[in-house]
């Protein structure tokens, strides 16, 4: 997803993913969303770990949002 520093890998019908995205949107104004099942590479990389937040390609957190890590990265 060019143009987005943060990418959230999610899956359809995933309440944890929905909560993760809602919480992230309160602290990061713009980020990309990618369905992990639409991308074979992401599916192999993340499997059932969704939601996964990456920043510039590196994993920041998965499962639960690490607010402090996101805030540190957002300030850079």
């Amino acid at each position: 997803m060019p143009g987005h520093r943060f990418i959230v890998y999610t899956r359809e019908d995933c309440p944890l993913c929905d909560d993760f995205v809602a919480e992230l949107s309160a602290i990061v104004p713009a980020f990309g969303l990618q369905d992990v099942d639409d991308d074979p590479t992401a599916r192999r990389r993340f499997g059932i770990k969704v939601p996964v937040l990456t920043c510039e390609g590196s994993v920041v957190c998965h499962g639960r949002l690490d607010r402090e890590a996101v805030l540190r990265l957002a300030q850079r």
Side-chain angles (χ1 to χ4, degrees):
M1 302 216 123
H4 289 288
R5 194 166 168 225
F6 291 99
I7 305 290
V8 181
Y9 291 87
T10 63
R11 178 171 275 126
E12 279 190 47
D13 300 319
C14 172
L16 184 59
C17 296
D18 296 340
D19 293 344
F20 190 99
V21 168
E23 189 176 351
L24 180 63
S25 67
I27 54 177
V28 175
F31 53 89
L33 290 174
Q34 174 67 48
D35 188 315
V36 74
D37 295 317
D38 289 344
D39 179 347
T41 302
R43 188 172 47 244
R44 279 191 305 276
R45 183 176 179 198
F46 302 125
I48 61 170
K49 287 184 179 181
V50 293
V52 176
L53 176 65
T54 63
C55 180
E56 298 172 353
S58 297
V59 173
V60 176
C61 55
H62 66 86
R64 299 281 179 202
L65 186 68
D66 182 341
R67 290 180 63 86
E68 287 75 30
V70 172
L71 288 170
R72 278 193 308 272
L73 289 167
Q75 291 175 355
R76 287 187 188 170

